[in-house]
Amino acid sequence: MKIPFNKPYLPVTAIGYLIRSALSGTIAGNGKYTKRCHNFFEEQFGFRKVLLTTSCTDALEMASLLTTIQPGDEVILPSFTFMSNANAFLLRGAKLVFADTLEQVPTIDPAQIEKLITPATRVIVAVHYSGLACEMDEIMTIAARHNLLVVEDAAHAFEAYYKDEPLGSIGHLGTFSFHETKNITSGEGGMLSVNHTPFLSRAESIWEKGTNRAAFQRGEVDSYRWIDIGSSFLPSDALAALLYTQLRRFRQIQRRRKWIWWEYHEQLSHLEGKGYLLRPVIPEQATVNGSLFYITLKDKSTRDDLLNHLNTNGIQAVIHYFPLHSSPYFIKQHDGRQLPNTDRFSDTILRLPFYYRLKTKEIAYIVKKIGEFFKS
Ligand SMILES: *Cc1c(COP(=O)(O)O)cnc(C)c1O
């Protein structure tokens, strides 16, 4: 049996929507399907304002522009994350200050944030790893006390909650990904959520090359002009049409993905009971959104051997993230602090195949092969 790590799910109706979008006359950005996607997030989840982008990386760059971060300003972010969080602020000249994760969950430790704050700190980045919510009350309280902005990286966090609030709607800004490995996908794609009133209109101009074109399209101004800095962050409406086909059936997609998550959780419980591995720890205020499933092993060599064992059995498990603080690019700039939880998670996490069409018998096969590894 061969089980890939990921298989993007594109409903066949997506093709029809692509054609409709091409024929509608608005295949550039901010057309009919873009607006439908925006409405979906605003109506379904109560987001204040969202803007589709071409990736979560782009949404993070927009967030960085909106925070008006200046060279020398400091950004506190986890080291256990995707490099786009770091690049977005580095491109504006910010100084990166990496924080460790909690001991049991690979999300940023609020107690660490507090210790790293200096008069130059401006922004905190909270990454909801695997859709498990960061401790947002603590983070927002710290931010308010020190007058900082919070950006939630909700790339994994579609339809995930913290105390009934959708992730991405709690901080000043939130960023989402619709990359092919995420719950909902348009191949490449992303979204910025704008929750902070002063950012509402500026976000729209940064999105469209620093112009007020969106206001012009709504008939609010006679012509559109260059009014701010910005870039081209908006996706083609054809991609929005692809995304829309998935949003229309998000309940079905989410039901299946959550089922797969709990199926892994259930089937792996006896191996956890024997002390071979740990399943994810779900924080009290977090929810499971079926974004990805990971296990943690006792040490790096066990993890690497198990990875090998699964790969040779046709099961494409994967590892991530290499810590950013000790990455080839950043290691010389890091202040030398040890981030032990980050290193441990990076060394011991194994991600198992996870996609909409993953079959029950494939999950059973994967679990069986993991069990065999520990028996031998
Ligand atoms: C996937 C991912 C991103 C980047 O998303 P793109 O849409 O590929 O730019 C950012 N942060 C996290 C945590 C991710 O998993």
Side-chain angles (χ1 to χ4, degrees):
M1 204 177 321
K2 267 220 171 325
I3 307 175
F5 174 64
N6 183 51
K7 269 191 210 172
Y9 166 64
L10 277 182
V12 275
T13 51
I15 309 302
Y17 273 87
L18 260 184
I19 293 165
R20 269 189 260 176
S21 137
L23 297 176
S24 74
T26 57
I27 199 164
N30 202 8
K32 181 166 107 187
Y33 290 104
T34 300
K35 293 190 175 84
R36 285 192 184 175
C37 292
H38 289 175
N39 287 341
F40 169 87
F41 282 96
E42 289 160 11
E43 282 158 21
Q44 190 67 48
F45 296 113
F47 283 102
R48 182 121 185 242
K49 183 180 181 67
V50 299
L51 293 166
L52 292 191
T53 57
T54 50
S55 63
C56 182
T57 302
D58 261 4
L60 285 159
E61 287 177 23
M62 284 186 72
S64 174
L65 284 166
L66 280 165
T67 63
T68 61
I69 201 109
Q70 303 293 315
D73 289 348
E74 295 177 9
V75 175
I76 298 174
L77 73 168
S79 171
F80 188 76
T81 187
F82 198 65
M83 69 299 293
S84 294
N85 289 273
N87 276 326
F89 292 97
L90 211 50
L91 283 167
R92 311 303 304 160
K95 181 179 166 209
L96 305 178
V97 180
F98 288 109
D100 206 357
T101 69
L102 295 163
E103 206 174 305
Q104 300 210 19
V105 190
T107 54
I108 198 164
D109 177 0
Q112 291 258 331
I113 297 176
E114 189 92 67
K115 286 189 201 139
L116 296 171
I117 290 173
T118 74
T121 309
R122 295 278 322 282
V123 175
I124 300 168
V125 182
V127 182
H128 304 299
Y129 178 76
S130 75
L132 297 174
C134 295
E135 293 181 351
M136 289 311 291
D137 278 354
E138 286 88 336
I139 293 171
M140 295 312 288
T141 306
I142 294 167
R145 197 183 309 137
H146 298 274
N147 201 15
L148 309 176
L149 293 166
V150 175
V151 177
E152 293 178 75
D153 181 341
H156 298 167
F158 175 82
E159 212 222 340
Y161 296 86
Y162 174 82
K163 293 188 175 173
D164 298 331
E165 300 281 336
L167 298 185
S169 74
I170 304 166
H172 299 84
L173 294 158
T175 65
F176 290 83
S177 175
F178 305 121
H179 182 262
E180 68 175 16
T181 52
K182 311 291 157 87
N183 293 43
I184 300 285
T185 174
S186 51
E188 298 276 358
M191 185 175 82
L192 179 74
S193 57
V194 187
N195 312 319
H196 184 50
T197 313
F199 290 161
L200 291 172
S201 85
R202 193 158 182 246
E204 228 175 42
S205 9
I206 288 175
W207 190 53
E208 287 228 51
K209 300 109 185 154
T211 70
N212 55 348
R213 185 167 173 273
F216 169 70
Q217 271 197 334
R218 286 193 297 267
E220 293 165 15
V221 288
D222 298 336
S223 58
Y224 73 88
R225 306 291 302 269
W226 182 30
I227 58 166
D228 201 340
I229 58 167
S231 189
S232 183
F233 289 114
L234 67 177
S236 154
D237 215 47
L239 280 181
L242 270 189
L243 190 68
Y244 189 63
T245 54
Q246 305 213 350
L247 294 176
R248 275 173 62 104
R249 56 182 72 197
F250 86 98
R251 284 180 208 285
Q252 171 197 334
I253 293 172
Q254 285 298 94
R255 200 182 309 119
R256 179 68 195 169
R257 293 188 68 109
K258 288 180 209 171
W259 184 88
I260 291 170
W261 199 99
W262 287 109
E263 192 62 20
Y264 268 131
H265 191 264
E266 171 66 28
Q267 291 199 26
L268 287 164
S269 90
H270 74 288
L271 293 175
E272 185 179 82
K274 289 187 174 145
Y276 294 145
L277 54 83
L278 290 173
R279 297 171 297 168
V281 172
I282 307 164
E284 204 181 316
Q285 310 292 356
T287 58
V288 164
N289 75 332
S291 65
L292 60 89
F293 195 90
Y294 69 94
I295 53 176
T296 40
L297 287 309
K298 133 170 143 305
D299 52 32
K300 186 173 188 316
S301 69
T302 311
R303 194 273 311 268
D304 292 347
D305 290 347
L306 176 57
L307 174 69
N308 247 322
H309 172 78
L310 294 179
N311 285 347
T312 50
N313 280 284
I315 298 163
Q316 197 190 5
V318 304
I319 62 173
H320 79 166
Y321 295 106
F322 290 104
L324 297 182
H325 74 281
S326 54
S327 60
Y329 178 69
F330 201 79
I331 191 159
K332 288 206 187 73
Q333 296 169 63
H334 181 60
D335 54 29
R337 276 175 305 112
Q338 297 288 311
L339 305 179
N341 294 334
T342 299
D343 289 343
R344 176 173 44 82
F345 277 121
S346 175
D347 284 346
T348 60
I349 277 183
L350 187 65
R351 286 178 66 183
L352 302 177
F354 204 105
Y355 48 89
Y356 180 79
R357 291 216 160 96
L358 187 64
K359 297 189 188 86
T360 314
K361 65 167 195 269
E362 290 171 327
I363 298 173
Y365 178 74
I366 294 164
V367 172
K368 189 176 109 194
K369 290 293 160 190
I370 296 173
E372 275 175 23
F373 170 80
F374 288 108
K375 257 186 233 134
S376 62

